[in-house]
Amino acid sequence: MSELPPDHNADDQPDPLDPFDEIIAEETDRDPDLAVIEAGSRTLRTQGGPPDADIPTRPADPEVDKALREVETELATRWGETKLEPSVSRIAALMDVLGEPQRSYPSIHITGTNGKTSTARMIEALLGAFELRTGRYTSPHVQSITERISLDGAPIAPERFIETYQDIKPYVEMVDASQEYRLSFFEVLTGMAYAAFADAPADVAVVEVGMGGSWDATNVIDGDVAVVTPIDLDHTDRLGSTLAEIATEKAGIIKQGATVIMAQQPVDAAQVLLKKAVEADATVAREGLEFGVVERQVAVGGQLVTLRGLGGEYPEVYLPLHGAHQAHNAAVALAAVEAFFGVGAQRADALDLDTVRKAFAAVASPGRLEVVRRSPTVVLDAAHNPAGARAAAEAIGEAFQFSRLIGVVGASGDKNVRGLLEAFEPVFAEVVVTQNSSHRAMDADELAGIAVEVFGEERVQVEPRLPDALEAAITLAEEEGEFAGGGVLVTGSVITVGEARLLLGRG
């Protein structure tokens, strides 16, 4: 890990003679089938698929379920996550009256456009494997609001969620009365998370920003480690229309003297992040320089990766998630945990390899190329912008090799839907457009109009109701016969994925 000098040039390239740079420059383009064969018995010794995802169901106790619904109803009266007033004044006021709970534990703060939740889950798994009590705050949720706040690697119980809300409710109302605007839905949840972590107590908090960074409600913490996953164009109406503008907002989580773990970035974004790191006297570790993916092979139920961390190489790590993007997320997560433990700064030795392997093998990321049905195979992926869609399209081709893939797409109206559809066009034989139950959902007929322009009329089917869309897609996938290799990918929105997950019997 290197200290960034003030005169650092963001366009500096690694030494071309460094073999590590050659390895990480491009992913291997060899036949994925050959990669499976080459992995040999090592892949056979791994788990046959990802662990069960920790998505909670509705409470079994009717009284608890009623109380949880009452909390959800009260939270729903507040500004939603898409209505923002760019300020941390309200959440700072709440933290003040709560006694600054977010100061009672160290934290790892995560921003970026894509990969934040998966990276957070990997960081959480690694910290837990090293016997630290973790608190994790991520958004949005796939099925249950309680997913957003996790302790010890699992969502908090509904009873604890309700209790935490009731505990801070008087203070929330106090702040509401003193501010120009009431606390938003996301601000109240952030306050609940920070309070729950302090009450646990957590040894470390892993916190994903909701949007941006500078004025995000989570940014009342001073993260010892600031993680920046790949930045791309998203939320352009709020964060800016260029990569540099978006990076400027996200760089707001870099605090004085922190360590910055930076995934591979577009040049414009990297320049902004590095400049901010210099201003904050922060230490920087960059993917492709101080750490990265050395090698990856397709394996049963995921992939086998060799990672280069800040303290050395970690060979043959099984990751039960699909896609090159998840391997890169793993490299970022590993570097973040190494930095948290002082590897590369206070200590030079690597983390214990067996512990790292055990942690990654236990990682689950619901709704991220998650298989929820077989025959035909139905996969869920929460890609909701072009960059996420490109990663999912590449990964599903590598991991599943369907002879015929049917897409089910339900997207939000405020997203770059055309870009998302264009990313999936090469891999979808046909697409069934639909809409989820959110008020933000794009109307199915409007979505179909865009889809026809991208796919052609003969490849587009419209089913406004998600249950009908799933049934239609499964029927289309089955047309070639049981053993022909047809599959379905449900995508376009976290909400669409969550509702499909319920309909298909998960949770």
Side-chain angles (χ1 to χ4, degrees):
M1 188 159 53
S2 61
E3 191 72 21
L4 184 68
D7 60 350
H8 178 81
N9 182 350
D11 293 325
D12 285 350
Q13 297 298 317
D15 184 344
L17 299 179
D18 186 347
F20 177 66
D21 301 325
E22 297 175 6
I23 293 171
I24 57 85
E26 285 289 335
E27 290 297 329
T28 179
D29 58 359
R30 62 187 163 171
D31 187 343
D33 285 335
L34 181 60
V36 173
I37 295 169
E38 289 176 352
S41 62
R42 288 178 298 171
T43 63
L44 298 177
R45 288 198 297 270
T46 64
Q47 299 179 35
D52 290 336
D54 54 343
I55 297 291
T57 59
R58 296 300 308 184
D61 185 326
E63 291 302 315
V64 175
D65 187 49
K66 179 183 176 183
L68 179 60
R69 289 185 188 279
E70 289 173 354
V71 172
E72 291 170 325
T73 300
E74 289 186 26
L75 288 171
T77 65
R78 297 180 176 274
W79 278 0
E81 290 171 281
T82 59
K83 186 171 183 179
L84 304 166
E85 192 272 322
S87 167
V88 294
S89 60
R90 292 176 303 281
I91 187 67
L94 179 60
M95 292 297 100
D96 181 55
V97 297
L98 289 175
E100 305 290 349
Q102 82 283 13
R103 309 275 182 217
S104 63
Y105 38 78
S107 56
I108 297 175
H109 205 177
I110 307 167
T111 190
T113 301
N114 290 306
K116 296 187 296 295
T117 298
S118 292
T119 302
R121 285 175 165 271
M122 294 179 195
I123 291 171
E124 174 189 51
L126 283 164
L127 293 169
F130 285 99
E131 300 184 351
L132 290 182
R133 189 167 202 199
T134 56
R136 173 173 54 84
Y137 181 52
T138 53
S139 61
H141 57 272
V142 177
Q143 287 178 199
S144 171
I145 194 172
T146 60
E147 295 166 37
R148 297 181 180 230
I149 304 173
S150 290
L151 288 169
D152 298 321
I156 63 173
E159 294 87 348
R160 190 162 192 172
F161 186 91
I162 297 162
E163 181 182 353
T164 302
Y165 176 75
Q166 296 298 341
D167 283 347
I168 75 164
K169 183 178 177 180
Y171 302 97
V172 168
E173 293 172 344
M174 187 187 307
V175 172
D176 284 344
S178 67
Q179 298 287 318
E180 182 178 1
Y181 304 106
R182 298 170 71 213
L183 287 154
S184 70
F185 169 88
F186 186 73
E187 287 169 333
V188 175
L189 279 174
T190 302
M192 289 173 60
Y194 290 163
F197 298 162
D199 185 59
D203 296 319
V204 54
V206 182
V207 178
E208 172 190 340
V209 303
M211 186 185 300
S214 296
W215 41 260
D216 186 73
T218 63
N219 204 29
V220 289
I221 57 171
D222 293 324
D224 302 78
V225 179
V227 176
V228 188
T229 66
I231 291 175
D232 212 299
L233 296 176
D234 199 10
H235 300 296
T236 52
D237 55 332
R238 297 177 179 86
L239 302 180
S241 58
T242 68
L243 292 173
E245 290 173 343
I246 292 171
T248 298
E249 290 298 331
K250 294 183 183 294
I253 73 164
I254 299 174
K255 303 300 173 57
Q256 192 70 26
T259 300
V260 182
I261 304 299
M262 199 168 81
Q264 290 180 338
Q265 302 289 349
V267 172
D268 289 352
Q271 289 176 332
V272 170
L273 295 169
L274 292 170
K275 180 181 178 183
K276 174 66 182 215
V278 170
E279 293 170 353
D281 194 27
T283 303
V284 178
R286 297 151 293 180
E287 184 182 7
L289 292 174
E290 285 78 24
F291 68 93
V293 180
V294 176
E295 184 181 8
R296 55 181 295 270
Q297 299 174 335
V298 175
V300 178
Q303 55 193 305
L304 200 66
V305 298
T306 295
L307 304 175
R308 176 170 165 179
L310 307 178
E313 196 164 287
Y314 299 80
E316 299 183 10
V317 175
Y318 177 66
L319 181 66
L321 300 173
H322 301 291
H325 61 296
Q326 293 290 15
H328 290 289
N329 289 340
V332 170
L334 176 61
V337 173
E338 286 183 309
F340 181 79
F341 285 126
V343 175
Q346 291 85 28
R347 51 183 282 195
D349 56 315
L351 301 177
D352 179 73
L353 177 58
D354 288 340
T355 305
V356 169
R357 285 174 172 165
K358 178 181 178 182
F360 276 119
V363 168
S365 194
R368 277 73 180 178
L369 288 177
E370 179 188 13
V371 177
V372 293
R373 171 183 164 150
R374 299 285 186 183
S375 190
T377 299
V378 178
V379 183
L380 308 180
D381 192 84
H384 56 273
N385 56 44
R390 288 192 295 269
E394 178 183 350
I396 202 164
E398 174 190 80
F400 297 95
Q401 299 179 327
F402 293 119
S403 61
R404 174 181 171 84
L405 180 63
I406 310 301
V408 175
V409 179
S412 296
D414 58 351
K415 296 296 182 180
N416 180 358
V417 174
R418 180 179 296 276
L420 182 140
L421 292 172
E422 287 174 345
F424 282 122
E425 190 277 332
V427 299
F428 286 166
E430 297 182 55
V431 61
V432 182
V433 298
T434 188
Q435 65 190 75
N436 58 54
S437 63
S438 169
H439 68 279
R440 295 170 55 201
M442 177 175 282
D443 178 78
D445 289 331
E446 182 182 355
L447 179 56
I450 301 172
V452 166
E453 294 175 5
V454 174
F455 289 85
E457 188 173 357
E458 69 283 355
R459 294 168 63 193
V460 178
Q461 182 171 332
V462 186
E463 295 290 352
R465 295 181 64 253
L466 183 56
D468 296 336
L470 292 172
E471 183 177 354
I474 289 169
T475 299
L476 288 169
E478 290 175 334
E479 283 183 355
E480 292 187 355
E482 183 179 356
F483 303 106
V488 175
L489 176 63
V490 183
T491 189
S493 163
V494 175
I495 297 169
T496 300
V497 163
E499 292 180 355
R501 205 172 186 278
L502 279 170
L503 288 167
L504 292 165
R506 291 296 182 98

